[in-house]
């Protein structure tokens, strides 16, 4: 029962589809680590059980060989006793002849018993040999799966580390990508652009205010000139037009001024 249980476990583990298990695993690396541990422990247990089974087989074989040897020895003894009996009978010693014939019969009886023991052990030995062969095959398959698992685990761990390193490098490159508006440099550049735009707006606002102030000064200067000339007229002086003033006046303004003078 124990042998069959061990053999069934070995066969089940040997037939395990690693790729299918990994596809359904949430964390393949942890599952592989656990599978490696399970396989290693099961192999150790199976090796111990197989070693015990092999030991039992060797004991059966030793008993069988002993029975075969005993059968041969008792056969030789029976033959020797029979020949001795023939010698005594040839010499006329009947009693000794019968005595050795009886010894030959006992030897033959024991030979037959040894032969029966050997024959009875043969089926058990054959069965045990089959079990041992299957267990050895299962162990070899388990060790092959263990090597496959270990290689797969190492491969996945290496790939995982490589992927993590690549992701880290990608993030580092992305964080300093000046063409990427979402990067640190891109956000900093956008902040500077907003500040520059604000300064330009302030400059335009200040320039507009300065132009208005100059325009007010020009209007004030013209009023001062008019008031000065009016005061000169009232005091009996003459008002001298500014150079180019006549040329700059429009025809409509000249006509209006002449009409007003005619009314005086």
């Amino acid at each position: 029962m124990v042998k069959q249980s061990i053999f069934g476990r070995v066969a089940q583990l040997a037939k395990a589809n690693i790729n299918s298990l990994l596809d359904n695993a949430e964390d393949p690396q942890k599952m592989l680590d656990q599978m490696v541990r399970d396989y290693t422990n099961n192999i150790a247990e199976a090796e111990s059980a197989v070693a015990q089974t092999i030991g039992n087989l060797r004991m059966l074989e030793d008993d069988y060989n002993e029975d075969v040897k005993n059968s041969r020895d008792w056969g030789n003894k029976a033959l020797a006793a029979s020949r001795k009996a023939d010698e005594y009978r040839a010499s006329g010693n009947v009693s000794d002849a019968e005595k050795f014939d009886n010894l030959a019969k006992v030897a033959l009886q024991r030979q037959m018993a040894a032969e029966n023991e050997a024959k009875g052990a043969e089926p058990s030995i054959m069965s045990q040999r089959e079990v041992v062969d299957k267990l050895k095959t299962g162990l070899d398959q388990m060790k092959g799966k263990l090597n496959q698992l270990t290689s797969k685990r190492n491969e996945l761990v290496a790939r995982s580390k490589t992927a993590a390193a690549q992701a880290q490098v990608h993030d580092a490159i992305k964080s300093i990508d000046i063409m990427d508006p979402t990067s640190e440099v891109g956000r900093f550049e956008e902040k500077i652009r907003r500040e520059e735009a604000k300064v330009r707006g302030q400059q335009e606002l200040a320039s507009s205010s300065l132009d208005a102030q100059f325009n007010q000064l020009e209007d004030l200067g013209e009023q001062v000139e008019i008031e000065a000339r009016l005061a000169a007229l009232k005091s009996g002086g003459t008002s001298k037009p500014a150079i180019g003033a006549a040329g700059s006046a429009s025809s409509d303004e000249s006509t209006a001024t002449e009409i007003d003078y005619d009314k005086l």
Side-chain angles (χ1 to χ4, degrees), residues 15-85:
K15 294 179 181 178
N17 189 332
I18 297 173
N19 292 328
S20 177
L21 292 174
L22 293 178
D23 290 340
N24 298 325
E26 295 181 0
D27 192 335
Q29 181 177 341
K30 288 184 178 179
M31 182 175 184
L32 281 173
D33 289 340
Q34 186 61 46
M35 288 181 70
V36 168
R37 288 191 292 269
D38 291 343
Y39 263 66
T40 302
N41 293 335
N42 287 326
I43 287 174
E45 293 178 6
E47 283 180 338
S48 177
V50 171
Q52 183 178 357
T53 304
I54 293 174
N56 293 336
L57 173 60
R58 297 297 176 255
M59 289 178 63
L60 288 176
E61 291 174 341
D62 291 341
D63 292 341
Y64 174 81
N65 293 331
E66 184 68 21
D67 290 334
V68 172
K69 180 179 177 298
N70 289 336
S71 175
R72 186 170 55 250
D73 291 342
W74 285 114
N76 293 332
K77 290 178 180 180
L79 180 59
S82 177
R83 287 176 178 177
K84 194 68 172 176

Side-chain angles (χ1 to χ4, degrees), residues 1 17 20-21 40 45 54 73 85 97 110 114 140-141 151-152 158 185 197 259 263:
M1 187 68 177
N17 189 332
S20 177
L21 292 174
T40 302
E45 293 178 6
I54 293 174
D73 291 342
R110 293 188 178 182
D140 291 339
Q141 291 176 345
S151 298
K152 191 72 172 179
V185 176
I259 292 175
K263 291 179 180 181

Side-chain angles (χ1 to χ4, degrees), residues 232-248:
L233 288 175
K234 291 184 179 293
S235 62
T238 58
S239 173
K240 296 181 179 181
I243 297 175
S248 63

Side-chain angles (χ1 to χ4, degrees), residues 85-98:
D86 292 342
E87 291 177 4
Y88 280 119
R89 188 171 285 108
S91 64
N93 190 345
V94 178
S95 63
D96 286 339
E98 291 180 354

Side-chain angles (χ1 to χ4, degrees), residues 175 180-196:
S175 66
D180 185 0
T182 63
S183 67
E184 295 294 335
V185 176
R187 289 194 292 270
F188 185 59
E189 180 181 10
E190 182 64 22
K191 179 180 179 181
I192 293 176
R193 288 184 59 202
R194 288 196 296 268
E195 292 177 353
E196 290 174 344

